Amino acid sequence: MLKLYLAIGKYISQNTRINKWGTGALQAISDQLQKELPGLRGFSEGNLKKMRIFYEEWSQYDLSPQNRALLTHDLKTLPINVETFFMVGFTHHYEIIKKCEKIEDRIFYINNCARNFWSVENLQNHIAAQDHLHVGALPNNFAKTIPDDAQASRAIFAFKDEMLLDFVNIEDENDECADERVLERGIVNNVKTFIQKLGSDFCFVDSQHRIVESDEEFFVDLLFYNRTLQSLVAIELKKGKFKPAYLGQLNFYLSLLDKYERKPGEKPSIGIILCKEAKKNIVELAIRDFSKPMGVSTYRLASEIPEHYAALKPIAESADQLLS
């Protein structure tokens, strides 16, 4: 179906861009199709224009079935398989084209749509969160604390350095602990949404996870398990700015998890500090001498979404949903 839309887009482009067809031609074609094939959907004038845009945006790349390797252009190899390209639906492709100008950003979202089976709404949320800028950018000590290079690399790309928590409402109060509990409740009450933003392969385990050591109780804010990493992931929530002291507490929690919760065959637990703001240089300096794998991520709220992404929150107009 996607190949059909490319072919239609090419035909329309070749005839409209060189003035062979006059104004109103696409509407006339759409009306004629409806008469000849009653009940046919997806071929309105607006959708025909989208097919033209779809073709024109990708016309410079080799999308032929014979190209089984990677898309190539100007002798530059792009990290996407042609078969992967055609695994993604037309509505997804058009959403990516509308919101991403750079080819590398488009390829990032196409790959993720194919691999993670994102819905259109989920794709919109990931674009609004600007995942292409944040995946793999988390300040961390994984390379030093995880002996297996492949496992360390997987851990680096499993987390983002910034998360968009647009489903959480935190009032501007002075009570830092109270706001952290509000943040936690907002995440727990919307845990499916949070996991979608966190990334694939995360499973929710518990909130305020209780561990007892020497008759004292300790509580991990949020506990997840990552199937790819085969590791427990502890997330500590902080309302304000990152403080190096947070890492000492998290390091201790990871020791408790490895001692009491980690099962045979699982990898060492990983810890993430999720705070409102953090300076990368300070985090990297503070984290480098710890022995447990840890990273620091920040979050944004709905009020901080850039204006040009705010329109992504509702599902696109019904015409954008053809073949979704």
Side-chain angles (χ1 to χ4, degrees):
M1 193 65 73
L2 205 62
K3 293 175 183 177
L4 171 64
Y5 290 159
L6 278 171
I8 293 173
K10 179 179 180 179
Y11 182 71
I12 294 172
S13 178
Q14 290 176 340
N15 284 280
T16 57
R17 297 309 190 193
I18 57 176
N19 298 320
K20 279 189 176 181
W21 293 354
T23 303
L26 294 185
Q27 184 61 59
I29 292 172
S30 177
D31 293 342
Q32 186 66 27
L33 286 172
Q34 293 297 326
K35 291 179 181 178
E36 296 184 5
L37 299 169
L40 181 68
R41 300 178 61 187
F43 290 89
S44 66
E45 179 186 12
N47 287 336
L48 291 175
K49 289 180 179 178
K50 290 174 185 176
M51 294 175 200
R52 179 176 61 190
I53 293 171
F54 180 47
Y55 163 74
E56 290 175 349
E57 290 295 323
W58 287 101
S59 61
Q60 59 186 317
Y61 299 95
D62 182 8
L63 295 172
S64 63
Q66 294 79 15
N67 183 15
R68 297 293 181 182
L70 301 175
L71 291 175
T72 57
H73 175 59
D74 293 340
L75 303 181
K76 293 181 180 180
T77 301
L78 302 175
I80 182 173
N81 188 280
V82 172
E83 293 182 355
T84 300
F85 180 91
F86 285 104
M87 289 171 60
V88 178
F90 179 71
T91 308
H92 293 73
H93 272 290
Y94 189 73
E95 192 70 27
I96 292 169
I97 288 171
K98 283 197 303 181
K99 299 302 177 183
C100 302
E101 294 184 2
K102 294 182 179 179
I103 182 64
E104 57 267 28
D105 298 343
R106 293 178 179 180
I107 288 175
F108 172 87
Y109 290 109
I110 291 171
N111 275 328
N112 276 279
C113 283
R115 182 170 59 248
N116 299 317
F117 305 101
W118 285 347
S119 66
V120 175
E121 184 177 16
N122 200 357
L123 168 63
Q124 291 172 330
N125 287 331
H126 283 286
I127 293 176
Q130 298 180 282
D131 277 10
H132 61 283
L133 299 178
H134 301 298
V135 170
L138 179 84
N140 65 82
N141 63 354
F142 298 158
K144 180 180 178 180
T145 57
I146 301 177
D148 185 330
D149 290 343
Q151 176 75 354
S153 179
R154 285 192 290 268
I156 289 172
F157 284 95
F159 301 98
K160 294 179 282 189
D161 71 334
E162 182 180 86
M163 297 184 62
L164 176 59
L165 304 185
D166 51 342
F167 54 89
V168 178
N169 180 28
I170 299 181
E171 300 296 333
D172 187 15
E173 301 175 0
N174 294 323
D175 188 344
E176 186 168 315
C177 291
D179 272 357
E180 288 170 4
R181 296 290 76 80
V182 172
L183 177 60
E184 180 184 316
R185 286 197 300 271
I187 290 173
V188 173
N189 292 338
N190 298 272
V191 68
K192 179 180 178 180
T193 303
F194 182 72
I195 289 176
Q196 289 175 340
K197 295 176 182 295
L198 192 60
S200 61
D201 283 339
F202 282 90
C203 305
F204 179 62
V205 177
D206 200 5
S207 65
Q208 288 301 301
H209 186 73
R210 177 176 175 268
I211 306 176
V212 178
E213 171 65 37
S214 302
D215 296 326
E216 289 192 42
E217 294 181 318
F218 301 92
F219 296 89
V220 178
D221 285 346
L222 296 170
L223 186 61
F224 293 84
Y225 181 78
N226 185 284
R227 295 168 58 204
T228 298
L229 299 176
Q230 297 181 308
S231 297
L232 289 168
V233 177
I235 298 181
E236 283 296 294
L237 305 173
K238 303 297 178 184
K239 172 197 171 185
K241 185 169 61 175
F242 167 77
K243 298 177 182 179
Y246 296 155
L247 294 172
Q249 179 189 42
L250 182 59
N251 190 75
F252 176 65
Y253 287 170
L254 294 179
S255 295
L256 291 176
L257 289 171
D258 286 339
K259 180 178 180 180
Y260 293 111
E261 304 284 350
R262 179 182 168 193
K263 297 185 182 300
E266 291 182 349
K267 308 296 184 183
S269 302
I270 295 173
I272 302 293
I273 298 290
L274 182 58
C275 54
K276 189 67 185 67
E277 58 180 290
K279 294 182 179 178
K280 188 174 182 179
N281 290 342
I282 293 178
V283 172
E284 291 176 344
L285 184 62
I287 207 171
R288 66 182 185 182
D289 292 327
F290 281 91
S291 60
K292 300 289 185 182
M294 295 185 291
V296 176
S297 180
T298 58
Y299 64 84
R300 286 184 294 144
L301 303 177
S303 58
E304 301 169 89
I305 301 176
E307 185 176 347
H308 57 287
Y309 284 110
L312 287 177
K313 289 308 298 171
I315 296 292
E317 57 192 305
S318 58
D320 280 349
Q321 300 208 20
L322 73 139
L323 297 179
S324 60

mmCIF file of all heavy atoms in Angstrom, residues 156-176:
data_model
loop_
_atom_site.group_PDB
_atom_site.id
_atom_site.type_symbol
_atom_site.label_atom_id
_atom_site.label_comp_id
_atom_site.label_asym_id
_atom_site.label_seq_id
_atom_site.Cartn_x
_atom_site.Cartn_y
_atom_site.Cartn_z
ATOM 1 N N ILE A 156 23.333 2.463 27.758
ATOM 2 C CA ILE A 156 23.418 3.870 27.357
ATOM 3 C C ILE A 156 22.230 4.255 26.484
ATOM 4 O O ILE A 156 21.624 5.322 26.658
ATOM 5 C CB ILE A 156 24.743 4.142 26.623
ATOM 6 C CG1 ILE A 156 25.923 4.075 27.620
ATOM 7 C CG2 ILE A 156 24.722 5.497 25.925
ATOM 8 C CD1 ILE A 156 27.286 4.127 26.974
ATOM 9 N N PHE A 157 21.838 3.374 25.551
ATOM 10 C CA PHE A 157 20.761 3.703 24.622
ATOM 11 C C PHE A 157 19.389 3.303 25.151
ATOM 12 O O PHE A 157 18.382 3.497 24.472
ATOM 13 C CB PHE A 157 21.020 3.049 23.262
ATOM 14 C CG PHE A 157 22.087 3.763 22.477
ATOM 15 C CD1 PHE A 157 23.408 3.349 22.522
ATOM 16 C CD2 PHE A 157 21.770 4.888 21.722
ATOM 17 C CE1 PHE A 157 24.398 4.012 21.821
ATOM 18 C CE2 PHE A 157 22.745 5.558 21.014
ATOM 19 C CZ PHE A 157 24.061 5.128 21.067
ATOM 20 N N ALA A 158 19.336 2.755 26.355
ATOM 21 C CA ALA A 158 18.039 2.413 26.962
ATOM 22 C C ALA A 158 17.413 3.605 27.674
ATOM 23 O O ALA A 158 16.224 3.575 28.001
ATOM 24 C CB ALA A 158 18.213 1.257 27.945
ATOM 25 N N PHE A 159 18.215 4.664 27.907
ATOM 26 C CA PHE A 159 17.721 5.797 28.688
ATOM 27 C C PHE A 159 17.896 7.100 27.922
ATOM 28 O O PHE A 159 18.754 7.221 27.051
ATOM 29 C CB PHE A 159 18.472 5.890 30.022
ATOM 30 C CG PHE A 159 18.339 4.660 30.883
ATOM 31 C CD1 PHE A 159 19.333 3.692 30.890
ATOM 32 C CD2 PHE A 159 17.218 4.474 31.667
ATOM 33 C CE1 PHE A 159 19.208 2.553 31.676
ATOM 34 C CE2 PHE A 159 17.085 3.341 32.458
ATOM 35 C CZ PHE A 159 18.076 2.380 32.456
ATOM 36 N N LYS A 160 17.087 8.082 28.306
ATOM 37 C CA LYS A 160 17.170 9.419 27.721
ATOM 38 C C LYS A 160 17.652 10.406 28.777
ATOM 39 O O LYS A 160 17.402 10.219 29.959
ATOM 40 C CB LYS A 160 15.795 9.849 27.197
ATOM 41 C CG LYS A 160 15.298 9.025 26.033
ATOM 42 C CD LYS A 160 13.922 9.461 25.571
ATOM 43 C CE LYS A 160 12.838 8.946 26.470
ATOM 44 N NZ LYS A 160 11.479 9.170 25.931
ATOM 45 N N ASP A 161 18.316 11.460 28.330
ATOM 46 C CA ASP A 161 18.812 12.447 29.287
ATOM 47 C C ASP A 161 17.725 13.439 29.693
ATOM 48 O O ASP A 161 17.920 14.234 30.609
ATOM 49 C CB ASP A 161 20.034 13.189 28.721
ATOM 50 C CG ASP A 161 19.671 14.137 27.590
ATOM 51 O OD1 ASP A 161 18.644 13.882 26.913
ATOM 52 O OD2 ASP A 161 20.407 15.109 27.363
ATOM 53 N N GLU A 162 16.567 13.386 29.009
ATOM 54 C CA GLU A 162 15.453 14.258 29.373
ATOM 55 C C GLU A 162 14.144 13.559 29.024
ATOM 56 O O GLU A 162 14.030 12.912 27.985
ATOM 57 C CB GLU A 162 15.541 15.593 28.630
ATOM 58 C CG GLU A 162 14.430 16.568 28.998
ATOM 59 C CD GLU A 162 14.541 17.876 28.244
ATOM 60 O OE1 GLU A 162 14.026 17.953 27.110
ATOM 61 O OE2 GLU A 162 15.147 18.816 28.783
ATOM 62 N N MET A 163 13.157 13.695 29.923
ATOM 63 C CA MET A 163 11.850 13.086 29.706
ATOM 64 C C MET A 163 10.761 14.146 29.783
ATOM 65 O O MET A 163 10.846 15.070 30.597
ATOM 66 C CB MET A 163 11.593 11.985 30.740
ATOM 67 C CG MET A 163 12.566 10.838 30.659
ATOM 68 S SD MET A 163 12.156 9.528 31.823
ATOM 69 C CE MET A 163 10.535 9.043 31.207
ATOM 70 N N LEU A 164 9.755 13.995 28.933
ATOM 71 C CA LEU A 164 8.619 14.909 28.929
ATOM 72 C C LEU A 164 7.487 14.291 29.731
ATOM 73 O O LEU A 164 6.835 13.348 29.293
ATOM 74 C CB LEU A 164 8.159 15.182 27.494
ATOM 75 C CG LEU A 164 6.913 16.061 27.329
ATOM 76 C CD1 LEU A 164 7.136 17.428 27.957
ATOM 77 C CD2 LEU A 164 6.543 16.195 25.864
ATOM 78 N N LEU A 165 7.260 14.813 30.944
ATOM 79 C CA LEU A 165 6.198 14.303 31.817
ATOM 80 C C LEU A 165 4.999 15.235 31.723
ATOM 81 O O LEU A 165 4.603 15.883 32.689
ATOM 82 C CB LEU A 165 6.701 14.201 33.262
ATOM 83 C CG LEU A 165 7.970 13.357 33.478
ATOM 84 C CD1 LEU A 165 8.286 13.245 34.962
ATOM 85 C CD2 LEU A 165 7.821 11.977 32.855
ATOM 86 N N ASP A 166 4.411 15.294 30.536
ATOM 87 C CA ASP A 166 3.322 16.231 30.298
ATOM 88 C C ASP A 166 2.005 15.789 30.920
ATOM 89 O O ASP A 166 1.010 16.495 30.839
ATOM 90 C CB ASP A 166 3.138 16.455 28.799
ATOM 91 C CG ASP A 166 3.024 15.158 28.021
ATOM 92 O OD1 ASP A 166 3.406 14.114 28.556
ATOM 93 O OD2 ASP A 166 2.549 15.186 26.877
ATOM 94 N N PHE A 167 1.999 14.609 31.545
ATOM 95 C CA PHE A 167 0.781 14.113 32.188
ATOM 96 C C PHE A 167 0.783 14.377 33.694
ATOM 97 O O PHE A 167 -0.144 13.986 34.399
ATOM 98 C CB PHE A 167 0.632 12.599 31.947
ATOM 99 C CG PHE A 167 1.843 11.798 32.353
ATOM 100 C CD1 PHE A 167 1.961 11.311 33.640
ATOM 101 C CD2 PHE A 167 2.860 11.547 31.446
ATOM 102 C CE1 PHE A 167 3.078 10.587 34.027
ATOM 103 C CE2 PHE A 167 3.982 10.817 31.826
ATOM 104 C CZ PHE A 167 4.089 10.337 33.118
ATOM 105 N N VAL A 168 1.827 15.005 34.207
ATOM 106 C CA VAL A 168 1.951 15.267 35.640
ATOM 107 C C VAL A 168 1.744 16.748 35.913
ATOM 108 O O VAL A 168 2.308 17.597 35.221
ATOM 109 C CB VAL A 168 3.333 14.833 36.177
ATOM 110 C CG1 VAL A 168 3.458 15.160 37.660
ATOM 111 C CG2 VAL A 168 3.551 13.344 35.948
ATOM 112 N N ASN A 169 0.939 17.054 36.941
ATOM 113 C CA ASN A 169 0.680 18.442 37.324
ATOM 114 C C ASN A 169 1.319 18.702 38.684
ATOM 115 O O ASN A 169 0.892 18.180 39.699
ATOM 116 C CB ASN A 169 -0.825 18.711 37.388
ATOM 117 C CG ASN A 169 -1.130 20.146 37.794
ATOM 118 O OD1 ASN A 169 -0.327 21.041 37.544
ATOM 119 N ND2 ASN A 169 -2.279 20.354 38.408
ATOM 120 N N ILE A 170 2.374 19.510 38.707
ATOM 121 C CA ILE A 170 3.061 19.848 39.953
ATOM 122 C C ILE A 170 2.889 21.339 40.210
ATOM 123 O O ILE A 170 3.293 22.170 39.401
ATOM 124 C CB ILE A 170 4.563 19.507 39.885
ATOM 125 C CG1 ILE A 170 4.748 18.007 39.657
ATOM 126 C CG2 ILE A 170 5.268 19.943 41.159
ATOM 127 C CD1 ILE A 170 6.201 17.586 39.600
ATOM 128 N N GLU A 171 2.272 21.658 41.318
ATOM 129 C CA GLU A 171 2.105 23.062 41.678
ATOM 130 C C GLU A 171 3.434 23.645 42.133
ATOM 131 O O GLU A 171 4.318 22.936 42.618
ATOM 132 C CB GLU A 171 1.068 23.193 42.803
ATOM 133 C CG GLU A 171 -0.306 22.667 42.438
ATOM 134 C CD GLU A 171 -0.955 23.439 41.309
ATOM 135 O OE1 GLU A 171 -0.608 24.633 41.158
ATOM 136 O OE2 GLU A 171 -1.770 22.869 40.588
ATOM 137 N N ASP A 172 3.574 24.934 41.991
ATOM 138 C CA ASP A 172 4.802 25.619 42.384
ATOM 139 C C ASP A 172 4.781 25.877 43.888
ATOM 140 O O ASP A 172 4.395 26.943 44.358
ATOM 141 C CB ASP A 172 4.947 26.926 41.609
ATOM 142 C CG ASP A 172 6.290 27.591 41.860
ATOM 143 O OD1 ASP A 172 7.182 26.919 42.392
ATOM 144 O OD2 ASP A 172 6.420 28.776 41.500
ATOM 145 N N GLU A 173 5.190 24.865 44.653
ATOM 146 C CA GLU A 173 5.185 24.969 46.099
ATOM 147 C C GLU A 173 6.612 24.934 46.634
ATOM 148 O O GLU A 173 7.542 24.519 45.963
ATOM 149 C CB GLU A 173 4.370 23.816 46.702
ATOM 150 C CG GLU A 173 2.917 23.783 46.237
ATOM 151 C CD GLU A 173 2.186 22.554 46.756
ATOM 152 O OE1 GLU A 173 2.836 21.761 47.470
ATOM 153 O OE2 GLU A 173 1.005 22.390 46.451
ATOM 154 N N ASN A 174 6.761 25.334 47.898
ATOM 155 C CA ASN A 174 8.075 25.307 48.515
ATOM 156 C C ASN A 174 8.389 23.971 49.169
ATOM 157 O O ASN A 174 9.527 23.680 49.508
ATOM 158 C CB ASN A 174 8.189 26.422 49.570
ATOM 159 C CG ASN A 174 8.133 27.802 48.938
ATOM 160 O OD1 ASN A 174 8.665 28.009 47.859
ATOM 161 N ND2 ASN A 174 7.465 28.734 49.610
ATOM 162 N N ASP A 175 7.360 23.149 49.384
ATOM 163 C CA ASP A 175 7.541 21.854 50.030
ATOM 164 C C ASP A 175 8.088 20.859 49.015
ATOM 165 O O ASP A 175 7.346 20.239 48.261
ATOM 166 C CB ASP A 175 6.209 21.356 50.594
ATOM 167 C CG ASP A 175 6.388 20.106 51.453
ATOM 168 O OD1 ASP A 175 7.460 19.473 51.355
ATOM 169 O OD2 ASP A 175 5.461 19.782 52.214
ATOM 170 N N GLU A 176 9.396 20.696 48.998
ATOM 171 C CA GLU A 176 10.032 19.850 47.990
ATOM 172 C C GLU A 176 9.594 18.404 48.108
ATOM 173 O O GLU A 176 9.316 17.737 47.119
ATOM 174 C CB GLU A 176 11.554 19.962 48.111
ATOM 175 C CG GLU A 176 12.311 19.226 47.022
ATOM 176 C CD GLU A 176 13.778 19.581 47.007
ATOM 177 O OE1 GLU A 176 14.102 20.776 47.108
ATOM 178 O OE2 GLU A 176 14.593 18.663 46.893
#
